[in-house]
Amino acid sequence: MMATVTGQAAPADACFMLIHPRLDLETPNLQTLKRNLERGTDAIKAEALQQVISGTLQGENYEPLLMHIIRFVMPTRNKTLKKLLLLYWEVCPKYDGDGKLKQETILICNALLNDLQHPNEYIRGSTLRFLCKLREAELLEPLIGPTRECLAHRHAYVRKNAVEAIASIYRTLPHLIPDAPELIGGVLQTEADMTCRRNALGMLTHSAPGVAVQWLKESAQLVGGFEELLQLAVIDLIRRAARDFPGEKALFIRCIFELLGAAASAVKYEAAATLVALSSNPAAVKAAAACYIALATKESDNNVRIIVLERLDRLRARHEGIVDDLVMDLLRVLAAPDLDVRRKALGIVMKLTSRRNVDDVVAMLKKELAKTVADAADYDASLDYRLLLIQTIHSCASQFPEVAASVVELFLDSIAEFGASSATDAIVFIREVAEKFPDLRQGIVSHLVSSFLDFKAGKVMRGALWILGEYAETPDEIRQVWARLREAIGELPLLAAEQRELDAAAAAPSAAEGPEKSEPRAPAASASRRILPDGTYATESSLTAKAVDVSALKLDSKPPLRAVLLHSDFFTGTVLASTLTKLVLRFARAAGADDEQQANSLRAEAILIMAGVIRIGHSAFVATPIDEDSYDRVLACIRALEYMDEDSEVLTEAFIADTQRAFSRLVKGEVKRAAEEERQHNDENAVQVDDAIEFRLLAAAKGAGAESAEDTLEHDIELATGEAEGRAAVSKLDSVVQLTGFSDAVYAEAYVNVNQYDILLDIMVVNQTNATLRNLSIEFSTLGDLKLVEKPTSYNVAPYSFSSVKASIKVSSTETGVIFGTIVYDGPSVNDSHSIVLNDIHVDIMEYIRPARCDEAQFHSMWTEFEWENKVNMSTTKEAAENLDLRAYLQHIMKATNMACLTPENALAGDCGFLSANLYARSIFGEDALANISIEKPTDDSPITGHIRIRAKTQGIALSLGDKISAAKVSLSD
């Protein structure tokens, strides 16, 4: 935890050092340290000095050791001790109790003066680097002359540190070196070392931008030949000086265009970002986008690729339509082996695709899809990439219907070669296209009939069966579908062939044993003795049938539908029964009286197949018997065909018209949801016609437009610290937590600012006594995935005054954490120590949870994979449920958990006493959170009851979300 102290306490020394404390080592006392510093060898002195430095940073009072270090350590010639001395001069207390500089610092100044004139260039350079950290004019003033002399040293290491030292002194105490810009300007003109020139240009950029711009005008033709460090410094100069020197904009843009072709990737990236900040011209935007695409294509680091693609996506959002022509160049990024990079690139490709380039994009995606089918070397990676390509092509065809026909043809030709997940997504897309485009239905049915025997996965078969049953309408199509289904089922009745194979397998070993042992074995009888209620004994006999050896059936060689049923996939059996019922009803209505005999034949055959499905489910040939839902569904189809003549209109309405309307509503609901998301996005980015137009060149120095500020270093720092949000004072008061009571000797309260990956605590400490509180410190501890980096330093607080402590705590995962601690201080008298326990600070998980969306297949895959589950029972009082329906209760839970509902809106429509929905959210750390809510309200005056099941990969998310739901349930009841 990094901590800084400000307020009315003693003067705070600037410290640029963080050292993690060694908790396994004991803190040495002053006498031991004095003895080691005075009489020890160089190694012992170095170890003692390290202990002093670490202890001083952790708040220990080692002021009495200052003279010992000056007397016994400062005269040393040991290089290690000299380096440690520079660290100690940085952290040691240089002020007395009155806030004045100690007299001993004069000796420190003399030692630094000697080191600045030392013949060893590395000692000089280290001392110059230390001067960058000094802020005391009394110490720096005697050192100005030697520092200026170091600018002419023969070694570049000394010269570059001398430039940094002068830059730091001029930035904090400009009166000590009033001619620093001219001095450094001369160095920039004559220096040959690129690092020295970089440091000099950086100093002029911050302190004298006019001098730096003049140098750039003179060296503009040489910018392309500079080394990487100096080129980055030139870009930083252009970015900072563009606002103050608008007349040099042409020069700046010409230099940036030249740097776009630099060899270093970092220079290209910064140049592209700066170019977009300077100009919104389409040519500049296209050049920057092309540079980003080249970086994403050529860089080997996947993290760099993702960062570049994110910047490209932001550029696309700010300049709609300008970079659409580069979509084919962006598709070259798909050559990267990392799946996350490919997913990010395809996401941007989808946003850049328009009617002008959709044909080229789909053609390129088809080629990539063909590569994944042909690539058998890395099957798992190809499988994931293939699924991603299919989903992208699906989205393309949904947005641009003109390519739907070619995409459907591709999927139908290749679906047999896809894996289970890829083929499932492809069949879902084909089903959606068949609903949206009636002209393509005949071709889809024909392709599915020809390739049905190649399907192996149950999900693919179910999708294909549904399409065939829904869109095969003419008698000829129904006959073709029926013939193909008979081939996929095999011999009728079902289980007849399996029984023969089993008998043949059992007869083979019997014949080998001899004729005397070839008689069939009867079921084995067993007897057991039981005690009757009256206390007497009775014998109970039973027959035990021999278990069936299913391995002898060779299921892999059987027809696909038959094999799926024998593998206990009875859901596919119910879809088969429903499809057969639809086909019989359609054929009877379309054929009429002419083909009544064939209609009866199909009807009888369908009933035979359905009865066979039930028979398989109750036989010993399957590992799992048929479930009740599947059994009832198949039986309902059998009864529908039995009473088809009497209730033809009702059955046709139920099996054909209702299913068509239900799926049509589902497709229209998805289209409506996508249109609503696009409308919300447009509303967020819309600009009213009467809004003021902001001219960046006419804006104040600190009021520039958002476009120019987005790519500046200051803006990045504001985003990192959370200051860019500009939270109002009223909203900040909501985040203030009282840590102590008003009657305590020390009153403390904290403002909790939660950023993405860290928590900033701004703690105000008030001394409510009339005595000075000495060595006051705040000791923090955490519970959960929160990490403390450093212990805050101790300080003194005057009577009735206050101080402010800022602490940063790192967050590593989405989990509700607790920050607790104590305030420890010493009173006016000796051995008068006090402590105050602070109230706990609870970190809310909702600060890290964001609503997100995923498809049904991904949700079910994660639901099966995640191992942590938390089940929360839901119940409300009758009073709370009177004016609350199930959908309002769902909205209440979604708002409390910050989760998105994946269940389509049309599936939740209508009046029903039961509601079930899937919820999904994703944390900023990439962790997924799933939830399924099942609630009911049988009558209007009854309470809402049910439960919510939460699943996550980590236990913390599951428990934290459960606590939020329980709290929301209690608040609703209240």
Side-chain angles (χ1 to χ4, degrees), residues 407-713:
V407 172
V408 166
E409 185 177 355
L410 168 69
F411 283 177
L412 289 172
D413 293 338
S414 308
I415 194 171
E417 303 175 4
F418 292 164
S421 56
S422 303
T424 302
D425 198 83
I427 204 71
V428 169
F429 167 71
I430 294 171
R431 183 179 64 182
E432 182 180 333
V433 170
E435 174 61 30
K436 289 182 177 179
F437 307 102
D439 296 339
L440 301 179
R441 292 176 182 175
Q442 185 177 359
I444 291 174
V445 170
S446 176
H447 273 85
L448 286 178
V449 169
S450 61
S451 57
F452 190 85
L453 294 179
D454 297 328
F455 299 157
K456 302 300 181 183
K459 290 183 178 180
V460 182
M461 287 186 184
R462 291 195 291 269
L465 285 172
W466 190 93
I467 294 173
L468 294 175
E470 201 67 35
Y471 301 115
E473 298 179 348
T474 64
D476 292 338
E477 288 179 346
I478 294 175
R479 291 189 185 98
Q480 295 175 4
V481 171
W482 198 276
R484 185 62 65 181
L485 293 181
R486 282 288 289 106
E487 292 183 42
I489 293 173
E491 180 185 346
L492 292 180
L494 293 173
L495 291 185
E498 285 74 18
Q499 188 63 47
R500 287 199 305 271
E501 292 178 11
L502 196 62
D503 293 342
S510 299
E513 291 176 1
E516 67 279 0
K517 297 184 180 181
S518 61
E519 298 180 0
R521 298 180 182 178
S526 61
S528 61
R529 179 171 293 181
R530 296 185 60 189
I531 301 176
L532 299 178
D534 58 356
T536 60
Y537 291 94
T539 303
E540 180 181 54
S541 301
S542 63
L543 293 178
T544 304
K546 185 180 179 182
V548 177
D549 186 10
V550 185
S551 60
L553 298 181
K554 300 179 181 179
L555 299 182
D556 295 337
S557 62
K558 293 187 175 297
L561 266 177
R562 197 184 195 97
V564 167
L565 293 174
L566 291 172
H567 277 105
S568 304
D569 188 358
F570 296 108
F571 186 24
T572 303
T574 62
V575 178
L576 173 63
S578 178
T579 300
L580 294 175
T581 305
K582 292 178 183 179
L583 292 175
V584 171
L585 291 173
R586 287 183 185 276
F587 188 85
R589 187 177 60 176
D594 298 336
D595 292 333
E596 184 177 355
Q597 183 177 358
Q598 187 175 5
N600 289 332
S601 174
L602 296 179
R603 178 179 174 185
E605 196 169 332
I607 293 176
L608 179 62
I609 294 173
M610 296 178 202
V613 172
I614 294 178
R615 186 184 173 199
I616 289 176
H618 289 157
S619 68
F621 289 90
V622 293
T624 305
I626 188 171
D627 56 283
E628 293 183 3
D629 292 338
S630 300
Y631 175 81
D632 292 341
R633 181 62 176 169
V634 176
L635 194 60
C637 292
I638 293 176
R639 289 177 177 172
L641 293 182
E642 181 182 358
Y643 298 102
M644 187 180 69
D645 296 333
E646 293 84 354
D647 302 324
S648 177
E649 295 297 330
V650 176
L651 293 174
T652 302
E653 181 73 17
F655 276 89
I656 298 177
D658 286 350
T659 55
Q660 285 182 343
R661 285 194 293 266
F663 185 65
S664 178
R665 287 196 303 269
L666 181 64
V667 173
K668 291 178 180 177
E670 288 295 323
V671 174
K672 183 180 178 181
R673 182 186 61 80
E676 182 67 20
E677 290 180 355
E678 184 177 1
R679 185 189 63 79
Q680 292 179 357
H681 175 72
N682 294 336
D683 291 345
E684 291 175 357
N685 299 320
V687 179
Q688 300 298 325
V689 294
D690 57 346
D691 285 352
I693 300 177
E694 188 177 78
F695 294 93
R696 180 164 53 88
L697 296 178
L698 301 179
K702 295 185 178 180
E707 291 190 2
S708 63
E710 183 172 349
D711 296 295
T712 61
L713 179 62

Side-chain angles (χ1 to χ4, degrees), residues 298-360:
K298 298 178 181 178
E299 273 297 315
S300 58
D301 192 332
N302 293 324
N303 294 323
V304 173
R305 283 174 166 168
I306 291 177
I307 292 172
V308 171
L309 289 174
E310 287 178 351
R311 181 58 70 96
L312 177 63
D313 194 18
R314 290 204 298 269
L315 181 65
R316 175 209 58 81
R318 281 173 47 190
H319 304 278
E320 289 283 351
I322 296 181
V323 296
D324 291 356
D325 296 338
L326 301 176
V327 64
M328 297 306 297
D329 296 332
L330 180 59
L331 285 172
R332 290 185 292 143
V333 181
L334 297 179
D338 187 71
L339 187 63
D340 292 332
V341 175
R342 289 170 167 174
R343 180 179 289 108
K344 188 69 178 178
L346 287 175
I348 301 175
V349 166
M350 282 303 304
K351 298 172 184 176
L352 295 177
T353 305
S354 61
R355 296 189 183 278
R356 294 181 302 166
N357 55 27
V358 63
D359 293 330
D360 297 333

Side-chain angles (χ1 to χ4, degrees), residues 943-964:
I944 297 176
T945 57
H947 63 269
I948 297 179
R949 296 168 63 192
I950 306 164
R951 286 200 180 183
K953 186 172 290 187
T954 59
Q955 183 184 17
I957 298 179
L959 295 178
S960 301
L961 279 177
D963 295 339
K964 296 297 295 184

Side-chain angles (χ1 to χ4, degrees), residues 69 389 589 661 764 774 862 955:
I69 294 174
L389 286 173
R589 187 177 60 176
R661 285 194 293 266
M764 184 183 70
R774 299 181 298 107
M862 290 186 290
Q955 183 184 17

